Amino acid sequence: MIVPDPNMPVGAAVIALRQELTELEERAGDWPGADVVDILEPWLEQFDFTTASAPAVAFIAPRPPGQAWMLRRWTRHEDDVLLFTDEACALAELARHVRGSWANLLGDEGIPDHPPTDDRTAVDLYYGHERNNRPDEGYSLYAAAISGPGRARVVPLDFRFPEADACERANRASVFHPGIHGGLPCVEIDGVLVFAYLDHELGAVQVSIHLDSAPDWLMRPDGTVPLRVEVEDTVVLDDSGEEGEPGQPLLDALLNVADDGQKDVIRETALAAGILWHCPACRWDNPGPATCCEGPGPCRTPKPTAEQTAA
């Protein structure tokens, strides 16, 4: 049974029609044809029945489930559960713990003074092939499937990013999820999840963007969501254009290894190709996608048009 959505225009119209017909039946005892016509005529005028062709759409199949490796390691004093992208990484972490605890085995028959360099051999010697060498320690390691929403998407081929008012509403409705109860801090914007946290193991600030839960209207026909990522004043990723923009780090790498004469040629070539544009006010070289000057000062001069640049 189809349930009309009162929050959608069509659903609200269907519910209103049902209410009118119910009131008519209560008054007249049935649905007199003339009265029904009087109700239906203005009701039908709400709809546009022009024969416009349906927009072309792309059907995007659900993403297949991924895989992660779960490592649980316990001792008398701790019980840790760790997540890894593959078995080798999980085994390397387990071997790191084993080598740090190798003194527990010294003196046992067949145990070398130093742990083997091979991770699997070191783990098997420490825990035993049956994992029963250490009564107070143990581990389990297994692969687990990671699946997203598992739904097909239907997106128009003439993709257009949401209008300014829709973006403003989504930004106002964004939610921050603090890192409590073992979770990670996350900002949720229109279904897109952006995690930013301090990763002790990596020794770095980790930023992860998850797009599986993004709504269909942010999805392009190829199944991707347009992204632009900046660190300080450097664009490290920009695929917001139809074919994507060149990554700024490549240009930086070229400039870093060039001498002064080569740098001038590289900059001139980048300016001619539109990878960079020159601020007419403060003379700062900005990445091509920037709409205003991103120099270190308060300039923020709008990007000049092609006619202004030519002049």
Side-chain angles (χ1 to χ4, degrees):
M1 178 180 294
I2 299 176
V3 179
D5 184 353
N7 296 316
M8 300 298 291
V10 173
V14 170
I15 293 172
L17 175 63
R18 176 62 181 174
Q19 290 174 343
E20 284 196 71
L21 293 176
T22 300
E23 293 172 0
L24 172 62
E25 186 177 19
E26 291 174 351
R27 292 195 309 270
D30 59 2
W31 289 0
D35 293 334
V36 171
V37 170
D38 290 340
I39 292 174
L40 284 178
E41 283 183 348
W43 184 80
L44 289 172
E45 290 176 356
Q46 302 176 80
F47 301 94
D48 181 5
F49 293 99
T50 58
T51 57
S53 59
V57 296
F59 292 87
I60 303 173
R63 179 176 299 181
Q67 187 182 68
W69 285 82
M70 306 289 294
L71 170 64
R72 181 191 173 205
R73 179 177 56 79
W74 64 89
T75 67
R76 285 180 296 175
H77 307 293
E78 59 185 356
D79 190 343
D80 296 328
V81 177
L82 304 173
L83 181 66
F84 298 89
T85 57
D86 54 54
E87 184 180 18
C89 292
L91 200 61
E93 169 60 25
L94 190 58
R96 184 194 62 79
H97 165 75
V98 164
R99 294 185 179 104
S101 306
W102 199 252
N104 296 336
L105 301 183
L106 295 181
D108 292 353
E109 183 179 354
I111 298 299
D113 292 339
H114 301 284
T117 57
D118 179 73
D119 291 341
R120 173 64 70 183
T121 304
V123 169
D124 286 346
L125 276 176
Y126 189 86
Y127 289 104
H129 287 287
E130 303 297 328
R131 306 182 189 180
N132 56 3
N133 281 3
R134 313 293 303 167
D136 296 328
E137 297 185 59
Y139 79 92
S140 62
L141 178 61
Y142 59 92
I146 301 177
S147 58
R151 59 186 176 89
R153 296 176 180 269
V154 180
V155 298
L157 290 180
D158 58 341
F159 170 80
R160 294 291 185 273
F161 200 74
E163 299 292 340
D165 57 343
C167 292
E168 184 180 355
R169 287 195 301 270
N171 292 338
R172 287 200 306 265
S174 61
V175 179
F176 173 67
H177 304 282
I180 58 176
H181 306 304
L184 296 171
C186 168
V187 175
E188 181 178 354
I189 306 174
D190 206 9
V192 175
L193 305 179
V194 182
F195 293 85
Y197 55 95
L198 306 183
D199 192 315
H200 172 72
E201 297 295 331
L202 290 176
V205 178
Q206 173 78 22
V207 179
S208 301
I209 303 175
H210 295 256
L211 305 171
D212 285 346
S213 53
D216 290 354
W217 53 84
L218 290 182
M219 190 75 63
R220 291 183 289 202
D222 63 355
T224 62
V225 173
L227 284 177
R228 176 184 167 99
V229 180
E230 295 184 19
V231 178
E232 299 294 349
D233 293 323
T234 299
V235 180
V236 297
L237 170 67
D238 191 341
D239 72 345
S240 57
E242 292 182 0
E243 300 180 359
E245 297 291 343
Q248 187 73 6
L250 174 60
L251 182 59
D252 290 341
L254 292 174
L255 292 172
N256 288 338
V257 298
D259 58 32
D260 291 341
Q262 291 171 329
K263 287 181 180 178
D264 291 339
V265 174
I266 292 172
R267 285 197 179 93
E268 291 299 324
T269 303
L271 289 167
I275 298 174
L276 294 177
W277 60 269
H278 209 52
C279 176
C282 71
R283 318 305 296 170
W284 183 264
D285 289 334
N286 294 279
T291 58
C292 64
C293 182
E294 298 178 345
C299 177
R300 299 301 179 265
T301 299
K303 179 179 181 180
T305 64
E307 291 78 9
Q308 292 173 325
T309 303

